[in-house]
Amino acid sequence: MLIFIVRRIIQGLGILWGLITLLFLIFYVLDSPVNYMVGENADEKIVKNIVEKYGLDRPLLTQYADYLHRLSPVRKEKEKWVFDSPDLGVSYQNDKPVGELIGEHWFGSAVLALFSLLFASFFGISMGIIAGLYKDRFPDRLIVSLSVLGISAPSFFVAVLLIAIFSVALNSLTHLNATGYLMETGVYSGESRIVWKNLFLPVIALGVRPLAVFVQLTRASLSEVMQTDYIRTARAKGLSPLRVLIVHALRNALNPVITSVTGWLASLLAGAFFVEFIFNWKGIGKLAIEALQKHDFPVILGCTLMVGIVFVGVSILTDVLYKISDPRVTV
Amino acid sequence: MLNIKDLHIRFKTDDGIIPAVKGVNLFLEKGKTLGIVGESGSGKSVTSLAIMQLLAPNAEISEGEISFNGQNLLELPESGIRKIRGKTIAMIFQEPMTSLNPVFTCGFQVAEILKLHEGMSSPEAKAKTLSLFEQVELPDPERIFDAYPHEISGGQKQRVMIAMAISCNPEILIADEPTTALDVTVQKEILHLLQKIQQKTRMGMIFISHDLGVIAEIADEVCVMYRGEVVENGAVKQVFLSPRHPYTQGLIACRPQMHRRVKYLPTVEEFLSETRLHPETENQTTDEAFLARQKSLMKAGVLLSVKSLKTWFPLRSGWFGTQKEYVKAVDSVSFDIYKGETLGLVGESGCGKTTLGRSILRLTEPTGGEIIYNGTDLRTIPARALRQMRKEIQLIFQDPYSSLNPKMKIGQAIMEPLKVHNLHNHDKERKDKTYEWLEKVGLKPEHFHRYPHEFSGGQRQRICIARALALTPSFVICDESVSALDVSVQAQILNLLRQLQEEMGLTLLFISHDLSVIKHISDRVMVMQKGKIVETEYSEHLYKNPGTDYTRQLLAAVPEGIKTDDLHR
């Protein structure tokens, strides 16, 4: 088990290395970073200063080595070896350190992703169970048709639709804002407070698709498990239908769903770009989109690295969870 | 104690209502064993599930009565029948591999039922479970208690199932094909165990099987089911020695038997229609005929010579791809097959017999050794030449359900290999050939445009045979080709293979776990154990004078039941 985890971490580091190399190729090799920083019609003198400041006239390999060295958690700083979070540099836009920017934004993304996942898992799995138990009857047909809708609707479309319905058309009933973050600073008091209701619409917009996927997975898996020999054995023991379902069937049926849930955690943490942007939600996704628009390379790099680390970390976690829940899996 | 009267069960399907059980009457006395014998679809499992009311949702009991100690089980509410399930009537199933829940330990699954019905606390249930494990003769009960089902063998799993079933001292134990999925030696142990438990607890037992030998060994009374009806019942001896119904007569006769030697097996159809295709006088094979055949085979020469063939699977690989351990599935196996011969390969599950068959065809790449076919070493020829060679060597698989592409019409399935190997000039000729083969294997030309799901298991195996033999190969490997089939169908397929072998001069390598089938079809028999060939002998000799202990064990474990020689007039 320990060997497995170590091996997966090494693999993960390899993936991250590939990721940052790819970014280097895009931003340093295909085009000069100077263009991103000052635009194309810049003063020659400014360009020269920038080239000197960032050492952009050095050979690409040297630049690459320097780039890797700065991103490595173990590096030499002021003649001393230190272990520190990667040195991501400062934002081109406002000279804020990228680390600080990410620090300000990750919480919003994490809250949004976790709540979306909770929402999607709870409703997805319970609806999936109902559909699985009533397979090919009315409740199943209804749930399945809805979930097909949920899978096919893109999140930005759902987001806009939700705003149009709940925050515009039904505003007198719901009092929901079209956009807004979890924290708001009071206009008069100047104190920041938590505004839970702002969480509603983004969570639903982000959670609809995983919810629909969980419905389908749970349904398929449960209806298959209910026909297995060991469920027949459990019934032949005289167990109550509820115990057969909860103890014997769900432990088996939910295995593939758990894998999917943890897999989605990674994509939700990483992929809330549109939803965050539309709801003006202060998160990594919004940060990254704005950085992309402004060609702010250090911020893009930071966001990408952050997403990559989350992805790799969560996928290792998934395998470990899977191993615990299903004793047959050998890792 | 248990009395089933005029039971009717039907299934509602998309194709309408299908009756599965039509007016069955059964009676079980305390301490006795009632054997139910029949082929797939005869309604025997459905009947037993009906007693426990565990039928599939689309099944409906339309008529009848199942009374247990004077109480009609069919009138009980769900909560009432749950008190009976597992407590007074317990059941064990055919597939020990899938009948235990894979995510719970064996101990948990047995203790669960004790807590439910006997109201035991966890430590009490554990103590009782351990003593039950001892009673069913499981080695190291403490370890099995904490083991997950996938960590123990099939026979051990079935013992856990038995422990679970007898945990609350049931009055009736229903055993639905409990030994079918197990090796013969394990089967023998399990049957013995069940008898022992029954003697001690005096429980009544319903034992369902398709295997007459097993039924004869364990049952007191037997009832024969055919197409949802009981066609014959009575004491075991009486039914086996003087069967009255032609179906029972056919069923008993069509099973290849170790002490009898015939060329073609009688089939159930012959008994039902009372026409004999192969009169007894022509069907006998004598020792002289056997010797003459062996001599001519020797003269014909060796077709395939396998020399110290090894197929090892890496078990674990080190950090740098270095192999540390191997499973030696086939370990230095050498043998010759003569032209026109049938060589039987017999062994228990996991002995490597299937891997050996696949290795010869290089469907599984061997690790070492030589496979010399007609002078060329199949191991060293290039992939292209090997593909051409596949025309010469064909394989017929065990499972006719999964070895046909469900989306392909069977005519096309037979034509495809002809096309691949560029046989015959154009599609028209290939089509004619396919029609010809459909007829040869006992199907009709109009079946050409049908899909596999429209056929029964036996018909599908005929299609597989046609597909393999249409290429006119000279060597065919039959890997458990009749194991998934009912005995009556098995007899038809064995007859078909024998007839085609004679017509085409085929050489067969016949792989099976079933010693009676192997004995019937083979000239010589190889016995395989743990990747090695332990004995090769003419089949008659082998069965009369087994040379190794292992062969002796295997032979002793075959349930022979009641000798039926005198049946054969």
Side-chain angles (χ1 to χ4, degrees):
Chain A
M1 186 74 171
L2 200 69
I3 293 177
F4 161 76
I5 294 174
V6 171
R7 208 184 284 182
R8 285 299 309 269
I9 288 175
I10 294 172
Q11 276 175 13
L13 289 178
I15 291 169
L16 292 179
W17 171 76
L19 191 68
I20 50 186
T21 305
L22 198 66
L23 283 172
F24 180 82
L25 286 176
I26 294 170
F27 286 96
Y28 280 77
V29 180
L30 294 182
D31 198 355
S32 167
V34 183
N35 294 348
Y36 299 129
M37 289 181 223
V38 293
E40 281 168 22
N41 310 320
D43 191 336
E44 254 180 57
K45 208 174 165 192
I46 298 175
V47 171
K48 212 181 143 210
N49 279 341
I50 287 177
V51 167
E52 258 168 40
K53 185 183 170 195
Y54 292 98
L56 296 176
D57 48 355
R58 292 174 300 165
L60 273 177
L61 264 180
T62 322
Q63 285 188 50
Y64 179 60
D66 186 45
Y67 168 83
L68 281 187
H69 179 248
R70 271 187 288 120
L71 289 180
S72 155
V74 181
R75 60 180 178 272
K76 215 173 184 176
E77 255 173 33
K78 294 173 191 145
E79 306 301 310
K80 254 170 71 184
W81 285 96
V82 293
F83 185 80
D84 196 7
S85 52
D87 176 10
L88 294 164
V90 294
S91 161
Y92 293 160
Q93 298 169 69
N94 47 19
D95 277 342
K96 263 192 178 178
V98 174
E100 200 175 296
L101 279 172
I102 288 179
E104 281 169 17
H105 285 81
W106 75 268
F107 181 72
S109 288
V111 167
L112 187 58
L114 278 178
F115 277 90
S116 301
L117 199 70
L118 281 179
F119 161 76
S121 314
F122 181 77
F123 288 100
I125 291 174
S126 17
M127 280 159 75
I129 291 172
I130 295 171
L133 290 180
Y134 292 92
K135 198 171 177 208
D136 296 329
R137 278 147 68 187
F138 175 73
D140 175 43
R141 298 252 156 87
L142 180 74
I143 290 173
V144 168
S145 335
L146 287 177
S147 76
V148 169
L149 266 181
I151 288 179
S152 21
S155 60
F156 57 84
F157 173 72
V158 176
V160 172
L161 199 68
L162 285 172
I163 292 175
I165 296 174
F166 291 102
S167 136
V168 179
L170 298 176
N171 190 266
S172 52
L173 274 174
T174 60
H175 301 291
L176 289 174
N177 303 328
T179 61
Y181 182 55
L182 187 62
M183 305 292 212
E184 259 176 20
T185 313
V187 181
Y188 305 109
S189 62
E191 280 172 27
S192 48
R193 56 196 173 91
I194 298 177
V195 189
W196 287 109
K197 69 173 184 182
N198 279 353
L199 202 55
F200 267 118
L201 296 183
V203 158
I204 296 175
L206 194 59
V208 157
R209 187 184 287 226
L211 185 150
V213 172
F214 298 159
V215 165
Q216 302 253 331
L217 268 176
T218 311
R219 168 186 182 265
S221 167
L222 183 66
S223 65
E224 194 188 308
V225 166
M226 286 309 278
Q227 284 174 14
T228 56
D229 292 344
Y230 55 80
I231 292 301
R232 188 178 56 185
T233 307
R235 292 178 62 210
K237 281 179 179 176
L239 299 174
S240 69
L242 198 68
R243 187 171 165 93
V244 171
L245 172 71
I246 292 176
V247 178
H248 285 266
L250 284 188
R251 260 299 289 277
N252 285 284
L254 290 187
N255 270 341
V257 185
I258 289 172
T259 324
S260 173
V261 167
T262 41
W264 272 93
L265 177 64
S267 8
L268 288 184
L269 279 173
F273 284 39
F274 288 119
V275 173
E276 285 180 10
F277 193 67
I278 291 171
F279 287 98
N280 201 21
W281 184 272
K282 192 175 161 193
I284 298 283
K286 186 168 159 261
L287 182 69
I289 288 190
E290 283 167 4
L292 272 171
Q293 287 171 336
K294 309 247 164 70
H295 299 302
D296 192 348
F297 174 67
V299 178
I300 295 171
L301 175 68
C303 292
T304 315
L305 202 59
M306 175 82 191
V307 168
I309 290 170
V310 167
F311 243 105
V312 169
V314 169
S315 79
I316 294 174
L317 194 73
T318 310
D319 287 345
V320 173
L321 270 184
Y322 202 48
K323 164 74 187 165
I324 292 169
S325 79
D326 190 342
R328 282 168 300 179
V329 176
T330 49
V331 291
Chain B
M1 190 163 54
L2 183 80
N3 198 353
I4 299 180
K5 275 188 216 147
D6 195 31
L7 185 70
H8 288 257
I9 301 171
R10 53 194 189 190
F11 283 96
K12 280 182 214 143
T13 67
D14 295 340
D15 307 327
I17 290 169
I18 296 170
V21 173
K22 298 179 271 193
V24 161
N25 294 296
L26 287 177
F27 184 71
L28 175 68
E29 278 176 77
K30 194 172 164 61
K32 286 275 162 58
T33 300
L34 171 69
I36 304 181
V37 68
E39 303 188 299
S40 50
S42 63
K44 56 190 196 306
S45 286
V46 177
T47 306
S48 68
L49 288 171
I51 299 172
M52 297 278 270
Q53 291 182 35
L54 288 172
L55 289 168
N58 66 338
E60 183 199 33
I61 298 175
S62 51
E63 232 180 286
E65 189 184 310
I66 300 176
S67 65
F68 170 62
N69 288 341
Q71 188 177 29
N72 188 357
L73 295 181
L74 298 179
E75 285 166 0
L76 279 178
E78 163 77 16
S79 60
I81 193 78
R82 277 214 313 271
K83 290 206 183 78
I84 288 179
R85 282 182 197 155
K87 174 140 178 69
T88 40
I89 306 179
M91 197 160 178
I92 46 181
F93 302 98
Q94 170 167 10
E95 280 294 336
M97 311 296 162
T98 55
S99 291
L100 287 169
N101 196 325
V103 300
F104 294 110
T105 60
C106 297
F108 173 88
Q109 300 190 48
V110 179
E112 184 183 32
I113 193 168
L114 289 166
K115 289 184 205 164
L116 175 77
H117 289 302
E118 308 281 332
M120 289 188 186
S121 65
S122 287
E124 281 171 346
K126 180 168 182 179
K128 173 80 178 163
T129 305
L130 290 176
S131 83
L132 282 167
F133 280 177
E134 241 158 69
Q135 201 184 337
V136 295
E137 292 157 19
L138 275 167
D140 201 354
E142 290 275 353
R143 183 182 67 82
I144 305 261
F145 189 90
D146 290 321
Y148 288 98
H150 71 276
E151 294 168 337
I152 59 177
S153 73
Q156 288 174 337
K157 273 179 231 178
Q158 200 59 296
R159 284 171 196 270
V160 172
M161 284 297 289
I162 293 173
M164 195 188 289
I166 62 168
S167 59
C168 300
N169 296 316
E171 292 177 46
I172 298 176
L173 177 68
I174 303 171
D176 188 356
E177 305 251 12
T179 57
T180 307
L182 305 172
D183 281 327
V184 272
T185 49
V186 183
Q187 164 171 296
K188 194 184 176 192
E189 290 166 16
I190 296 280
L191 290 179
H192 193 70
L193 175 70
L194 283 173
Q195 274 171 328
K196 220 158 98 183
I197 291 168
Q198 193 188 18
Q199 270 167 12
K200 217 174 104 188
T201 61
R202 303 277 304 139
M203 64 184 179
M205 186 150 76
I206 296 178
F207 195 101
I208 298 160
S209 181
H210 69 283
D211 189 332
L212 295 148
V214 172
I215 291 282
E217 214 150 275
I218 198 160
D220 303 307
E221 304 265 319
V222 64
C223 83
V224 183
M225 285 189 73
Y226 177 59
R227 296 187 180 168
E229 284 172 76
V230 175
V231 292
E232 182 156 5
N233 59 5
V236 154
K237 266 216 167 103
Q238 180 211 327
V239 170
F240 277 77
L241 293 179
S242 48
R244 292 186 310 271
H245 195 274
Y247 175 74
T248 319
Q249 291 167 357
L251 205 59
I252 292 172
C254 73
R255 169 109 184 107
Q257 293 196 353
M258 304 246 265
H259 53 269
R260 213 173 65 210
R261 198 161 76 196
V262 291
K263 201 163 169 192
Y264 291 102
L265 291 164
T267 61
V268 171
E269 277 68 35
E270 293 171 34
F271 280 91
L272 289 175
S273 61
E274 292 180 7
T275 49
R276 287 301 191 78
L277 292 172
H278 308 286
E280 203 62 27
T281 42
E282 284 174 36
N283 203 8
Q284 289 291 357
T285 56
T286 57
D287 285 345
E288 289 79 45
F290 180 76
L291 279 176
R293 176 168 159 82
Q294 293 314 319
K295 262 189 196 150
S296 70
L297 284 176
M298 290 288 192
K299 252 188 227 154
V302 173
L303 179 73
L304 175 81
S305 175
V306 171
K307 285 176 191 160
S308 57
L309 187 71
K310 292 186 188 98
T311 307
W312 293 0
F313 297 112
L315 195 61
R316 227 172 33 156
S317 56
W319 271 71
F320 303 102
T322 46
Q323 305 303 343
K324 292 199 172 143
E325 283 173 50
Y326 294 94
V327 176
K328 298 179 179 179
V330 177
D331 195 14
S332 295
V333 166
S334 307
F335 62 88
D336 293 331
I337 303 181
Y338 296 95
K339 270 182 196 137
E341 183 187 33
T342 304
L343 181 64
L345 175 60
V346 72
E348 296 190 288
S349 56
C351 75
K353 53 191 194 300
T354 293
T355 312
L356 175 58
R358 295 179 60 92
S359 298
I360 292 171
L361 280 170
R362 277 179 67 192
L363 291 172
T364 302
E365 202 61 48
T367 325
E370 288 170 45
I371 310 160
I372 295 162
Y373 178 84
N374 248 347
T376 37
D377 187 351
L378 296 183
R379 269 208 72 212
T380 52
I381 57 174
R384 221 185 122 76
L386 181 71
R387 273 206 300 281
Q388 282 165 354
M389 216 55 168
R390 295 248 159 93
K391 185 193 96 63
E392 287 290 304
I393 310 178
Q394 282 291 310
L395 186 62
I396 301 170
F397 298 95
Q398 168 169 16
D399 189 353
Y401 292 89
S402 56
S403 52
L404 285 168
N405 184 340
K407 298 267 153 52
M408 204 183 224
K409 287 176 185 165
I410 64 137
Q412 274 156 353
I414 299 173
M415 263 172 75
E416 191 188 30
L418 294 176
K419 225 177 208 165
V420 169
H421 289 287
N422 234 339
L423 294 180
H424 311 296
N425 296 323
H426 41 78
D427 275 1
K428 174 89 183 60
E429 248 176 66
R430 289 184 198 124
K431 212 166 179 171
D432 290 343
K433 238 348 203 223
T434 305
Y435 285 133
E436 198 180 295
W437 269 101
L438 281 173
E439 266 177 275
K440 257 192 196 162
V441 296
L443 297 168
K444 296 194 179 81
E446 62 260 33
H447 288 155
F448 188 97
H449 294 289
R450 301 229 184 127
Y451 290 95
H453 71 263
E454 295 171 66
F455 295 92
S456 69
Q459 285 174 319
R460 284 182 213 211
Q461 201 57 297
R462 286 169 192 269
I463 297 164
C464 292
I465 291 173
R467 181 174 62 178
L469 298 190
L471 290 169
T472 57
S474 35
F475 181 49
V476 178
I477 299 176
C478 302
D479 185 2
E480 300 272 12
S481 304
V482 296
S483 306
L485 306 172
D486 278 325
V487 271
S488 61
V489 182
Q490 190 177 319
Q492 295 167 7
I493 299 290
L494 287 172
N495 287 346
L496 175 69
L497 277 172
R498 174 149 284 181
Q499 178 203 335
L500 290 171
Q501 180 182 27
E502 242 170 44
E503 279 172 24
M504 301 170 66
L506 285 175
T507 309
L508 294 179
L509 175 63
F510 198 94
I511 303 172
S512 179
H513 69 283
D514 188 328
L515 289 112
S516 348
V517 167
I518 283 277
K519 150 104 190 332
H520 166 75
I521 194 118
S522 315
D523 294 303
R524 284 186 306 148
V525 176
M526 292 194 291
V527 182
M528 196 166 182
Q529 184 195 17
K530 290 180 187 156
K532 285 185 164 28
I533 302 287
V534 292
E535 187 168 5
T536 310
E537 200 31 282
Y538 289 115
S539 54
E540 278 304 306
H541 291 207
L542 184 84
Y543 285 81
K544 278 183 190 139
N545 310 305
T548 62
D549 282 343
Y550 181 65
T551 316
R552 220 165 288 135
Q553 270 174 34
L554 282 180
L555 287 170
V558 176
E560 268 295 75
I562 294 155
K563 299 262 190 287
T564 48
D565 262 345
D566 43 321
L567 252 179
H568 243 67
R569 291 170 296 265

